[in-house]
Amino acid sequence: MSYSISIERTSALKQKPDFSQLGFGKYFTDHMFIVEYDDGEGWHDARIVPYQPISLDPAAKVFHYGQTVFEGMKAYKDAEGKVALFRPFKNLQRLNRSNDRLSIPAIDEGLALEALKQLVTIDESWIPTEEGTSLYIRPFVISTQAALGVSPSEKYLFMIIMSPVGAYYREGINPVSIYVEPQYVRAVPGGVGNAKTGGNYASGLKAQEEASDKGYSQVLWLDGVHRKYIEEVGSMNVFFKLADKVVTPALSGSILDGVTRDSVIQLLKYWNIEVEERAISIDELVEAYRNGTLEEAFGTGTAAVISPVGELNWQGERLILNGGQTGPLAAKLYGFVTGVQRGAVEDPFGWLLKL
Amino acid sequence: MSYSISIERTSALKQKPDFSQLGFGKYFTDHMFIVEYDDGEGWHDARIVPYQPISLDPAAKVFHYGQTVFEGMKAYKDAEGKVALFRPFKNLQRLNRSNDRLSIPAIDEGLALEALKQLVTIDESWIPTEEGTSLYIRPFVISTQAALGVSPSEKYLFMIIMSPVGAYYREGINPVSIYVEPQYVRAVPGGVGNAKTGGNYASGLKAQEEASDKGYSQVLWLDGVHRKYIEEVGSMNVFFKLADKVVTPALSGSILDGVTRDSVIQLLKYWNIEVEERAISIDELVEAYRNGTLEEAFGTGTAAVISPVGELNWQGERLILNGGQTGPLAAKLYGFVTGVQRGAVEDPFGWLLKL
């Protein structure tokens, strides 16, 4: 099947930033993809155009009722200059699951993939190649109908923008200190915690700010019902190494089904390391820490890939993990996954989609 | 204290819609208010300008991370043509409580009130006078910094737009049928359920759609922890008349502190009707229904003021309230509150701010 995507190239390419000082999500490439939805007409007018502001009525539903979804994925360039996307199908499938939860009409995943390929190809010169850098890709849907009734929008925009990003941690990976959040709750079963929608991120800002004031990088979220089971760390999934096995919270409905989470589980099984997806209480972790079996903790997500945890603060008790250093398992996972991503390590799972 | 608000009047007034066919939030007045925020500079450039689209970078945080808050309030014109706002201070105070929860810098409530007064005065000809109609006012804040890091925005817009709205129910008030939601959850303590932020509304759309497919207007939300305590009805607070008293859920942290809720509680006390703010389980309501003491239920909110419930469907059992008709208490409350609002009934509480 072929998709019709019109292309308008920019007449003035932007000056590129210093690729050794990128940070995260600060600079955007020369072009963007956009396709519109109207009730009765479906998705229409798919196009790649110069990166530019969008103009919306101030009554557009996105400004009032938060009916949005998004995805995050990355493109890489290998040593030979070949471009690849990391598991884009997983992200597009999840985008449609998020759409369904937020009452947004489904995207044609074939069209979205074609748009991704064309957009990345057009802005290929924006893919940084320094170790740890990549081209971050942000597909997102916003509701644009200008009407204040609380109901699903009759109009949407699906867009893709792209940003060259630096290594999340300048020297590879470094452990972060995490505050186990006793007061605020991210999501609860029956809510939208397993959808990638703006409200989940807005609701976490306050806890993140307060943890930061206490000297912590992020919070570890506990579940909203029992206030004791582990959910996510910041906006990442989380794993714990307990002696001879690795545990991670099961997909309970209130946490995100992370693509990196899935990749890490696949990889652990490939390495014959036992991995359990199940409920994990903070009490279990504290006990494991005290008896010396909590060896490592790390977050997983598209932005940082693997983010080792050096400390957990639970009600004032500081649990220092692996001496506050990056653990061997986190380092091995980081090396393998980022190696596959940049084409330096063989890809046994077919994760890369080469363009 | 005086506030500097520049005014640019439109050069082409819009044609007004048929004021007998307004619906809700479909038409917008000739002007809008806007003020910008930048970190380090604070709120600046307050202005009233012709109603117009706004232009934002596609990376603006509002499109990705849902960092938004809003308010809803109304202006009325009495029989002599005098204009009044209903309890605007309450809404502006709540706006700042929502801002705090969403890590948005506080608005100057004095500036916002002055903006409201000037904007309503300029667009006074848009205030409909037919019974049940009003000018709906929508203050809102959106995060506009173009950056994909998950952190509070460094830039915001605070805007006020206005829409002439019809009677929520064409012939005064009519009872609605409500589906008691067993699966989806609106909010949970520790989350943002008590803030007026977009994500709370986005997360309710799916349940609302599914209830609608079953023939119900709205859902009655149960709490997310025990799944049995009453929270809200649709996007309104909810009250129940149980024999000789009225009960409404206490402000537990997961429901909105409604201005109409507060007005109704004040009024019930003024009428010497006992009112309790406390936890109410669905089991208690079912039992009260069965023994004949659940006499009425109604929602309260700015849009509909009082919305009587004619039926509650709980797990297939249909609880028909007051024979499916508007109950006497709901009717009396509706008559009094809307009477005060349009200047036809004396205002014993000082609810109206006359312009």
mmCIF file of all heavy atoms in Angstrom, chain A residues 52-64 142 144 157, chain B residues 32-36 47 49-58 60 62-63 140-144 156-161:
data_model
loop_
_atom_site.group_PDB
_atom_site.id
_atom_site.type_symbol
_atom_site.label_atom_id
_atom_site.label_comp_id
_atom_site.label_asym_id
_atom_site.label_seq_id
_atom_site.Cartn_x
_atom_site.Cartn_y
_atom_site.Cartn_z
ATOM 1 N N GLN A 52 7.434 24.795 11.885
ATOM 2 C CA GLN A 52 6.819 26.119 12.036
ATOM 3 C C GLN A 52 5.773 26.090 13.140
ATOM 4 O O GLN A 52 5.281 25.020 13.513
ATOM 5 C CB GLN A 52 6.154 26.527 10.724
ATOM 6 C CG GLN A 52 5.041 25.587 10.295
ATOM 7 C CD GLN A 52 4.565 25.845 8.870
ATOM 8 O OE1 GLN A 52 3.814 26.775 8.637
ATOM 9 N NE2 GLN A 52 5.037 25.019 7.935
ATOM 10 N N PRO A 53 5.423 27.281 13.657
ATOM 11 C CA PRO A 53 4.362 27.343 14.668
ATOM 12 C C PRO A 53 3.036 26.853 14.092
ATOM 13 O O PRO A 53 2.815 26.874 12.871
ATOM 14 C CB PRO A 53 4.265 28.837 15.001
ATOM 15 C CG PRO A 53 5.544 29.437 14.530
ATOM 16 C CD PRO A 53 5.980 28.606 13.354
ATOM 17 N N ILE A 54 2.153 26.408 14.974
ATOM 18 C CA ILE A 54 0.798 26.074 14.555
ATOM 19 C C ILE A 54 -0.157 27.079 15.186
ATOM 20 O O ILE A 54 0.072 27.596 16.269
ATOM 21 C CB ILE A 54 0.408 24.624 14.923
ATOM 22 C CG1 ILE A 54 0.646 24.337 16.406
ATOM 23 C CG2 ILE A 54 1.156 23.644 14.060
ATOM 24 C CD1 ILE A 54 0.229 22.945 16.828
ATOM 25 N N SER A 55 -1.212 27.358 14.456
ATOM 26 C CA SER A 55 -2.179 28.374 14.868
ATOM 27 C C SER A 55 -3.477 27.676 15.265
ATOM 28 O O SER A 55 -4.029 26.897 14.493
ATOM 29 C CB SER A 55 -2.407 29.316 13.685
ATOM 30 O OG SER A 55 -3.412 30.253 13.996
ATOM 31 N N LEU A 56 -3.932 27.927 16.499
ATOM 32 C CA LEU A 56 -5.145 27.260 16.988
ATOM 33 C C LEU A 56 -6.089 28.268 17.630
ATOM 34 O O LEU A 56 -5.650 29.252 18.242
ATOM 35 C CB LEU A 56 -4.775 26.214 18.046
ATOM 36 C CG LEU A 56 -3.987 25.001 17.581
ATOM 37 C CD1 LEU A 56 -3.619 24.133 18.782
ATOM 38 C CD2 LEU A 56 -4.790 24.182 16.570
ATOM 39 N N ASP A 57 -7.370 27.987 17.549
ATOM 40 C CA ASP A 57 -8.361 28.788 18.249
ATOM 41 C C ASP A 57 -8.102 28.650 19.754
ATOM 42 O O ASP A 57 -7.803 27.552 20.227
ATOM 43 C CB ASP A 57 -9.757 28.266 17.897
ATOM 44 C CG ASP A 57 -10.850 29.235 18.343
ATOM 45 O OD1 ASP A 57 -11.093 29.365 19.566
ATOM 46 O OD2 ASP A 57 -11.457 29.871 17.466
ATOM 47 N N PRO A 58 -8.237 29.740 20.521
ATOM 48 C CA PRO A 58 -8.021 29.606 21.977
ATOM 49 C C PRO A 58 -9.025 28.681 22.662
ATOM 50 O O PRO A 58 -8.781 28.243 23.787
ATOM 51 C CB PRO A 58 -8.140 31.047 22.499
ATOM 52 C CG PRO A 58 -8.679 31.862 21.386
ATOM 53 C CD PRO A 58 -8.437 31.136 20.110
ATOM 54 N N ALA A 59 -10.117 28.347 21.989
ATOM 55 C CA ALA A 59 -11.076 27.389 22.553
ATOM 56 C C ALA A 59 -10.741 25.946 22.156
ATOM 57 O O ALA A 59 -11.479 25.025 22.507
ATOM 58 C CB ALA A 59 -12.493 27.732 22.105
ATOM 59 N N ALA A 60 -9.647 25.722 21.436
ATOM 60 C CA ALA A 60 -9.273 24.350 21.041
ATOM 61 C C ALA A 60 -9.228 23.459 22.277
ATOM 62 O O ALA A 60 -8.683 23.828 23.311
ATOM 63 C CB ALA A 60 -7.923 24.355 20.330
ATOM 64 N N LYS A 61 -9.809 22.269 22.149
ATOM 65 C CA LYS A 61 -9.979 21.417 23.334
ATOM 66 C C LYS A 61 -8.659 21.064 24.023
ATOM 67 O O LYS A 61 -8.634 20.872 25.248
ATOM 68 C CB LYS A 61 -10.750 20.158 22.963
ATOM 69 C CG LYS A 61 -12.199 20.490 22.604
ATOM 70 C CD LYS A 61 -13.115 19.287 22.670
ATOM 71 C CE LYS A 61 -14.555 19.741 22.380
ATOM 72 N NZ LYS A 61 -15.550 18.754 22.773
ATOM 73 N N VAL A 62 -7.580 20.979 23.264
ATOM 74 C CA VAL A 62 -6.290 20.636 23.876
ATOM 75 C C VAL A 62 -5.909 21.613 24.986
ATOM 76 O O VAL A 62 -5.250 21.227 25.955
ATOM 77 C CB VAL A 62 -5.176 20.584 22.806
ATOM 78 C CG1 VAL A 62 -4.997 21.920 22.104
ATOM 79 C CG2 VAL A 62 -3.846 20.144 23.419
ATOM 80 N N PHE A 63 -6.327 22.851 24.881
ATOM 81 C CA PHE A 63 -5.962 23.857 25.890
ATOM 82 C C PHE A 63 -6.785 23.720 27.177
ATOM 83 O O PHE A 63 -6.435 24.287 28.205
ATOM 84 C CB PHE A 63 -6.158 25.265 25.339
ATOM 85 C CG PHE A 63 -5.282 25.602 24.164
ATOM 86 C CD1 PHE A 63 -5.798 26.291 23.067
ATOM 87 C CD2 PHE A 63 -3.938 25.225 24.148
ATOM 88 C CE1 PHE A 63 -4.992 26.612 21.975
ATOM 89 C CE2 PHE A 63 -3.122 25.534 23.062
ATOM 90 C CZ PHE A 63 -3.656 26.233 21.962
ATOM 91 N N HIS A 64 -7.906 22.995 27.090
ATOM 92 C CA HIS A 64 -8.845 22.962 28.220
ATOM 93 C C HIS A 64 -8.980 21.570 28.830
ATOM 94 O O HIS A 64 -9.012 21.430 30.046
ATOM 95 C CB HIS A 64 -10.215 23.479 27.758
ATOM 96 C CG HIS A 64 -10.121 24.845 27.156
ATOM 97 N ND1 HIS A 64 -10.209 25.979 27.914
ATOM 98 C CD2 HIS A 64 -9.852 25.263 25.895
ATOM 99 C CE1 HIS A 64 -10.038 27.049 27.141
ATOM 100 N NE2 HIS A 64 -9.814 26.635 25.910
ATOM 101 N N ILE A 142 -3.061 16.101 19.116
ATOM 102 C CA ILE A 142 -3.774 17.098 19.930
ATOM 103 C C ILE A 142 -5.180 17.289 19.377
ATOM 104 O O ILE A 142 -5.431 17.141 18.183
ATOM 105 C CB ILE A 142 -3.022 18.447 19.980
ATOM 106 C CG1 ILE A 142 -2.784 19.006 18.566
ATOM 107 C CG2 ILE A 142 -1.711 18.307 20.735
ATOM 108 C CD1 ILE A 142 -2.177 20.402 18.556
ATOM 109 N N THR A 144 -8.277 19.633 18.503
ATOM 110 C CA THR A 144 -8.249 21.028 18.046
ATOM 111 C C THR A 144 -9.621 21.668 17.857
ATOM 112 O O THR A 144 -9.691 22.853 17.531
ATOM 113 C CB THR A 144 -7.472 21.133 16.710
ATOM 114 O OG1 THR A 144 -8.083 20.258 15.759
ATOM 115 C CG2 THR A 144 -6.011 20.743 16.893
ATOM 116 N N LEU A 157 -5.022 17.065 15.261
ATOM 117 C CA LEU A 157 -3.795 17.084 14.474
ATOM 118 C C LEU A 157 -2.890 15.977 15.005
ATOM 119 O O LEU A 157 -2.732 15.833 16.214
ATOM 120 C CB LEU A 157 -3.041 18.414 14.625
ATOM 121 C CG LEU A 157 -3.656 19.677 14.039
ATOM 122 C CD1 LEU A 157 -2.723 20.865 14.309
ATOM 123 C CD2 LEU A 157 -3.888 19.529 12.541
ATOM 124 N N MET B 32 -10.797 38.999 23.665
ATOM 125 C CA MET B 32 -10.244 38.069 24.656
ATOM 126 C C MET B 32 -9.145 38.789 25.429
ATOM 127 O O MET B 32 -8.606 39.796 24.990
ATOM 128 C CB MET B 32 -9.695 36.811 23.957
ATOM 129 C CG MET B 32 -8.503 37.061 23.046
ATOM 130 S SD MET B 32 -8.052 35.530 22.146
ATOM 131 C CE MET B 32 -6.396 35.977 21.556
ATOM 132 N N PHE B 33 -8.836 38.256 26.610
ATOM 133 C CA PHE B 33 -7.762 38.794 27.438
ATOM 134 C C PHE B 33 -6.580 37.849 27.368
ATOM 135 O O PHE B 33 -6.754 36.629 27.332
ATOM 136 C CB PHE B 33 -8.221 38.934 28.893
ATOM 137 C CG PHE B 33 -7.114 39.295 29.843
ATOM 138 C CD1 PHE B 33 -6.644 40.607 29.916
ATOM 139 C CD2 PHE B 33 -6.539 38.339 30.663
ATOM 140 C CE1 PHE B 33 -5.611 40.943 30.791
ATOM 141 C CE2 PHE B 33 -5.503 38.678 31.542
ATOM 142 C CZ PHE B 33 -5.046 39.981 31.602
ATOM 143 N N ILE B 34 -5.385 38.421 27.381
ATOM 144 C CA ILE B 34 -4.185 37.585 27.358
ATOM 145 C C ILE B 34 -3.081 38.271 28.157
ATOM 146 O O ILE B 34 -2.953 39.501 28.120
ATOM 147 C CB ILE B 34 -3.765 37.294 25.888
ATOM 148 C CG1 ILE B 34 -2.620 36.288 25.798
ATOM 149 C CG2 ILE B 34 -3.410 38.567 25.145
ATOM 150 C CD1 ILE B 34 -2.473 35.718 24.378
ATOM 151 N N VAL B 35 -2.348 37.496 28.924
ATOM 152 C CA VAL B 35 -1.162 38.011 29.619
ATOM 153 C C VAL B 35 -0.115 36.904 29.582
ATOM 154 O O VAL B 35 -0.444 35.721 29.650
ATOM 155 C CB VAL B 35 -1.491 38.479 31.062
ATOM 156 C CG1 VAL B 35 -2.074 37.367 31.918
ATOM 157 C CG2 VAL B 35 -0.289 39.102 31.759
ATOM 158 N N GLU B 36 1.141 37.280 29.416
ATOM 159 C CA GLU B 36 2.220 36.304 29.228
ATOM 160 C C GLU B 36 3.082 36.190 30.468
ATOM 161 O O GLU B 36 3.220 37.151 31.223
ATOM 162 C CB GLU B 36 3.113 36.732 28.058
ATOM 163 C CG GLU B 36 2.354 36.871 26.762
ATOM 164 C CD GLU B 36 3.211 37.450 25.639
ATOM 165 O OE1 GLU B 36 4.357 37.009 25.489
ATOM 166 O OE2 GLU B 36 2.710 38.345 24.930
ATOM 167 N N ARG B 47 -3.296 42.365 28.089
ATOM 168 C CA ARG B 47 -3.976 43.105 27.020
ATOM 169 C C ARG B 47 -5.299 42.452 26.661
ATOM 170 O O ARG B 47 -5.472 41.237 26.784
ATOM 171 C CB ARG B 47 -3.077 43.188 25.781
ATOM 172 C CG ARG B 47 -2.608 41.837 25.270
ATOM 173 C CD ARG B 47 -1.386 42.011 24.365
ATOM 174 N NE ARG B 47 -1.007 40.781 23.678
ATOM 175 C CZ ARG B 47 -0.128 39.888 24.154
ATOM 176 N NH1 ARG B 47 0.459 40.053 25.320
ATOM 177 N NH2 ARG B 47 0.151 38.805 23.453
ATOM 178 N N VAL B 49 -7.578 42.020 23.387
ATOM 179 C CA VAL B 49 -7.387 42.106 21.926
ATOM 180 C C VAL B 49 -8.562 41.430 21.237
ATOM 181 O O VAL B 49 -9.343 40.716 21.882
ATOM 182 C CB VAL B 49 -6.055 41.415 21.493
ATOM 183 C CG1 VAL B 49 -4.852 42.155 22.058
ATOM 184 C CG2 VAL B 49 -6.035 39.951 21.910
ATOM 185 N N PRO B 50 -8.731 41.637 19.936
ATOM 186 C CA PRO B 50 -9.791 40.913 19.224
ATOM 187 C C PRO B 50 -9.614 39.391 19.389
ATOM 188 O O PRO B 50 -8.474 38.911 19.414
ATOM 189 C CB PRO B 50 -9.586 41.334 17.766
ATOM 190 C CG PRO B 50 -8.947 42.691 17.869
ATOM 191 C CD PRO B 50 -8.042 42.613 19.062
ATOM 192 N N TYR B 51 -10.720 38.679 19.537
ATOM 193 C CA TYR B 51 -10.668 37.209 19.630
ATOM 194 C C TYR B 51 -9.977 36.689 18.378
ATOM 195 O O TYR B 51 -10.360 37.021 17.256
ATOM 196 C CB TYR B 51 -12.086 36.648 19.714
ATOM 197 C CG TYR B 51 -12.120 35.160 20.017
ATOM 198 C CD1 TYR B 51 -12.220 34.717 21.327
ATOM 199 C CD2 TYR B 51 -12.062 34.219 19.001
ATOM 200 C CE1 TYR B 51 -12.240 33.358 21.620
ATOM 201 C CE2 TYR B 51 -12.084 32.857 19.280
ATOM 202 C CZ TYR B 51 -12.174 32.436 20.592
ATOM 203 O OH TYR B 51 -12.194 31.087 20.886
ATOM 204 N N GLN B 52 -8.948 35.898 18.560
ATOM 205 C CA GLN B 52 -8.143 35.446 17.425
ATOM 206 C C GLN B 52 -7.386 34.181 17.774
ATOM 207 O O GLN B 52 -7.196 33.873 18.950
ATOM 208 C CB GLN B 52 -7.146 36.534 17.039
ATOM 209 C CG GLN B 52 -6.148 36.867 18.145
ATOM 210 C CD GLN B 52 -5.364 38.133 17.864
ATOM 211 O OE1 GLN B 52 -4.434 38.113 17.080
ATOM 212 N NE2 GLN B 52 -5.795 39.229 18.488
ATOM 213 N N PRO B 53 -6.922 33.453 16.747
ATOM 214 C CA PRO B 53 -6.123 32.254 17.001
ATOM 215 C C PRO B 53 -4.817 32.623 17.701
ATOM 216 O O PRO B 53 -4.350 33.752 17.612
ATOM 217 C CB PRO B 53 -5.828 31.704 15.606
ATOM 218 C CG PRO B 53 -6.848 32.325 14.726
ATOM 219 C CD PRO B 53 -7.150 33.673 15.305
ATOM 220 N N ILE B 54 -4.242 31.655 18.407
ATOM 221 C CA ILE B 54 -2.913 31.847 18.968
ATOM 222 C C ILE B 54 -1.947 30.920 18.252
ATOM 223 O O ILE B 54 -2.307 29.847 17.791
ATOM 224 C CB ILE B 54 -2.886 31.611 20.497
ATOM 225 C CG1 ILE B 54 -3.503 30.262 20.866
ATOM 226 C CG2 ILE B 54 -3.597 32.736 21.229
ATOM 227 C CD1 ILE B 54 -3.452 29.963 22.354
ATOM 228 N N SER B 55 -0.722 31.394 18.152
ATOM 229 C CA SER B 55 0.304 30.675 17.403
ATOM 230 C C SER B 55 1.339 30.144 18.382
ATOM 231 O O SER B 55 1.886 30.892 19.190
ATOM 232 C CB SER B 55 0.941 31.660 16.416
ATOM 233 O OG SER B 55 1.989 31.025 15.728
ATOM 234 N N LEU B 56 1.564 28.820 18.357
ATOM 235 C CA LEU B 56 2.488 28.202 19.309
ATOM 236 C C LEU B 56 3.449 27.265 18.583
ATOM 237 O O LEU B 56 3.086 26.615 17.591
ATOM 238 C CB LEU B 56 1.714 27.383 20.347
ATOM 239 C CG LEU B 56 0.825 28.149 21.329
ATOM 240 C CD1 LEU B 56 0.052 27.164 22.201
ATOM 241 C CD2 LEU B 56 1.656 29.077 22.199
ATOM 242 N N ASP B 57 4.650 27.159 19.117
ATOM 243 C CA ASP B 57 5.603 26.181 18.618
ATOM 244 C C ASP B 57 5.017 24.774 18.841
ATOM 245 O O ASP B 57 4.427 24.521 19.894
ATOM 246 C CB ASP B 57 6.923 26.332 19.383
ATOM 247 C CG ASP B 57 8.054 25.566 18.732
ATOM 248 O OD1 ASP B 57 8.067 24.316 18.806
ATOM 249 O OD2 ASP B 57 8.932 26.212 18.138
ATOM 250 N N PRO B 58 5.182 23.856 17.892
ATOM 251 C CA PRO B 58 4.633 22.499 18.106
ATOM 252 C C PRO B 58 5.278 21.774 19.291
ATOM 253 O O PRO B 58 4.724 20.787 19.770
ATOM 254 C CB PRO B 58 4.914 21.775 16.787
ATOM 255 C CG PRO B 58 5.816 22.647 16.007
ATOM 256 C CD PRO B 58 5.721 24.031 16.543
ATOM 257 N N ALA B 60 5.581 23.248 22.178
ATOM 258 C CA ALA B 60 5.049 23.888 23.397
ATOM 259 C C ALA B 60 4.585 22.812 24.373
ATOM 260 O O ALA B 60 3.917 21.849 23.996
ATOM 261 C CB ALA B 60 3.904 24.831 23.043
ATOM 262 N N VAL B 62 2.328 22.497 26.544
ATOM 263 C CA VAL B 62 0.894 22.190 26.655
ATOM 264 C C VAL B 62 0.483 21.049 25.725
ATOM 265 O O VAL B 62 -0.432 20.284 26.041
ATOM 266 C CB VAL B 62 0.036 23.445 26.369
ATOM 267 C CG1 VAL B 62 0.280 23.990 24.965
ATOM 268 C CG2 VAL B 62 -1.439 23.149 26.568
ATOM 269 N N PHE B 63 1.139 20.904 24.597
ATOM 270 C CA PHE B 63 0.768 19.860 23.635
ATOM 271 C C PHE B 63 1.270 18.473 24.064
ATOM 272 O O PHE B 63 0.835 17.460 23.531
ATOM 273 C CB PHE B 63 1.341 20.170 22.253
ATOM 274 C CG PHE B 63 0.810 21.434 21.640
ATOM 275 C CD1 PHE B 63 1.664 22.299 20.956
ATOM 276 C CD2 PHE B 63 -0.537 21.763 21.730
ATOM 277 C CE1 PHE B 63 1.174 23.464 20.372
ATOM 278 C CE2 PHE B 63 -1.033 22.923 21.157
ATOM 279 C CZ PHE B 63 -0.173 23.775 20.480
ATOM 280 N N PHE B 140 -8.082 30.526 31.522
ATOM 281 C CA PHE B 140 -7.246 29.320 31.464
ATOM 282 C C PHE B 140 -5.776 29.675 31.308
ATOM 283 O O PHE B 140 -5.435 30.740 30.814
ATOM 284 C CB PHE B 140 -7.704 28.356 30.354
ATOM 285 C CG PHE B 140 -7.571 28.872 28.940
ATOM 286 C CD1 PHE B 140 -6.564 28.402 28.105
ATOM 287 C CD2 PHE B 140 -8.468 29.806 28.444
ATOM 288 C CE1 PHE B 140 -6.441 28.859 26.796
ATOM 289 C CE2 PHE B 140 -8.348 30.279 27.131
ATOM 290 C CZ PHE B 140 -7.348 29.804 26.306
ATOM 291 N N VAL B 141 -4.929 28.752 31.755
ATOM 292 C CA VAL B 141 -3.478 28.926 31.657
ATOM 293 C C VAL B 141 -2.907 27.750 30.878
ATOM 294 O O VAL B 141 -3.263 26.597 31.147
ATOM 295 C CB VAL B 141 -2.803 28.960 33.043
ATOM 296 C CG1 VAL B 141 -1.303 29.252 32.905
ATOM 297 C CG2 VAL B 141 -3.456 29.993 33.954
ATOM 298 N N ILE B 142 -2.031 28.053 29.934
ATOM 299 C CA ILE B 142 -1.344 26.991 29.190
ATOM 300 C C ILE B 142 0.169 27.233 29.247
ATOM 301 O O ILE B 142 0.625 28.373 29.332
ATOM 302 C CB ILE B 142 -1.814 26.892 27.720
ATOM 303 C CG1 ILE B 142 -1.653 28.234 27.002
ATOM 304 C CG2 ILE B 142 -3.259 26.416 27.652
ATOM 305 C CD1 ILE B 142 -1.969 28.167 25.511
ATOM 306 N N SER B 143 0.909 26.127 29.209
ATOM 307 C CA SER B 143 2.370 26.172 29.264
ATOM 308 C C SER B 143 2.915 26.210 27.842
ATOM 309 O O SER B 143 2.569 25.360 27.021
ATOM 310 C CB SER B 143 2.884 24.944 30.004
ATOM 311 O OG SER B 143 2.247 23.771 29.514
ATOM 312 N N THR B 144 3.749 27.203 27.541
ATOM 313 C CA THR B 144 4.082 27.448 26.131
ATOM 314 C C THR B 144 5.557 27.290 25.784
ATOM 315 O O THR B 144 5.918 27.424 24.608
ATOM 316 C CB THR B 144 3.626 28.872 25.739
ATOM 317 O OG1 THR B 144 4.253 29.805 26.630
ATOM 318 C CG2 THR B 144 2.120 29.006 25.840
ATOM 319 N N TYR B 156 4.287 30.831 30.046
ATOM 320 C CA TYR B 156 2.849 30.527 30.092
ATOM 321 C C TYR B 156 2.052 31.633 29.425
ATOM 322 O O TYR B 156 2.516 32.764 29.313
ATOM 323 C CB TYR B 156 2.362 30.413 31.550
ATOM 324 C CG TYR B 156 3.054 29.327 32.334
ATOM 325 C CD1 TYR B 156 4.229 29.593 33.027
ATOM 326 C CD2 TYR B 156 2.549 28.032 32.360
ATOM 327 C CE1 TYR B 156 4.890 28.603 33.732
ATOM 328 C CE2 TYR B 156 3.204 27.041 33.069
ATOM 329 C CZ TYR B 156 4.367 27.320 33.747
ATOM 330 O OH TYR B 156 5.019 26.337 34.436
ATOM 331 N N LEU B 157 0.838 31.288 29.044
ATOM 332 C CA LEU B 157 -0.178 32.290 28.692
ATOM 333 C C LEU B 157 -1.356 32.093 29.633
ATOM 334 O O LEU B 157 -1.788 30.964 29.854
ATOM 335 C CB LEU B 157 -0.675 32.095 27.252
ATOM 336 C CG LEU B 157 0.273 32.373 26.107
ATOM 337 C CD1 LEU B 157 -0.444 32.100 24.772
ATOM 338 C CD2 LEU B 157 0.769 33.816 26.135
ATOM 339 N N PHE B 158 -1.853 33.192 30.187
ATOM 340 C CA PHE B 158 -3.132 33.183 30.900
ATOM 341 C C PHE B 158 -4.106 33.947 30.018
ATOM 342 O O PHE B 158 -3.831 35.083 29.624
ATOM 343 C CB PHE B 158 -2.991 33.854 32.268
ATOM 344 C CG PHE B 158 -4.307 34.116 32.967
ATOM 345 C CD1 PHE B 158 -5.266 33.124 33.105
ATOM 346 C CD2 PHE B 158 -4.582 35.371 33.497
ATOM 347 C CE1 PHE B 158 -6.475 33.369 33.756
ATOM 348 C CE2 PHE B 158 -5.781 35.631 34.153
ATOM 349 C CZ PHE B 158 -6.735 34.631 34.284
ATOM 350 N N MET B 159 -5.204 33.315 29.673
ATOM 351 C CA MET B 159 -6.169 33.939 28.774
ATOM 352 C C MET B 159 -7.573 33.859 29.366
ATOM 353 O O MET B 159 -7.861 33.004 30.205
ATOM 354 C CB MET B 159 -6.157 33.219 27.410
ATOM 355 C CG MET B 159 -4.792 33.271 26.726
ATOM 356 S SD MET B 159 -4.815 32.455 25.094
ATOM 357 C CE MET B 159 -5.953 33.532 24.216
ATOM 358 N N ILE B 160 -8.415 34.755 28.917
ATOM 359 C CA ILE B 160 -9.845 34.665 29.239
ATOM 360 C C ILE B 160 -10.615 34.783 27.937
ATOM 361 O O ILE B 160 -10.429 35.745 27.181
ATOM 362 C CB ILE B 160 -10.293 35.791 30.200
ATOM 363 C CG1 ILE B 160 -9.414 35.813 31.470
ATOM 364 C CG2 ILE B 160 -11.761 35.615 30.575
ATOM 365 C CD1 ILE B 160 -9.703 37.007 32.403
ATOM 366 N N ILE B 161 -11.439 33.773 27.659
ATOM 367 C CA ILE B 161 -12.347 33.841 26.515
ATOM 368 C C ILE B 161 -13.771 33.718 27.051
ATOM 369 O O ILE B 161 -13.974 33.283 28.192
ATOM 370 C CB ILE B 161 -12.043 32.758 25.446
ATOM 371 C CG1 ILE B 161 -12.129 31.345 26.044
ATOM 372 C CG2 ILE B 161 -10.677 32.995 24.823
ATOM 373 C CD1 ILE B 161 -11.962 30.232 25.013
#
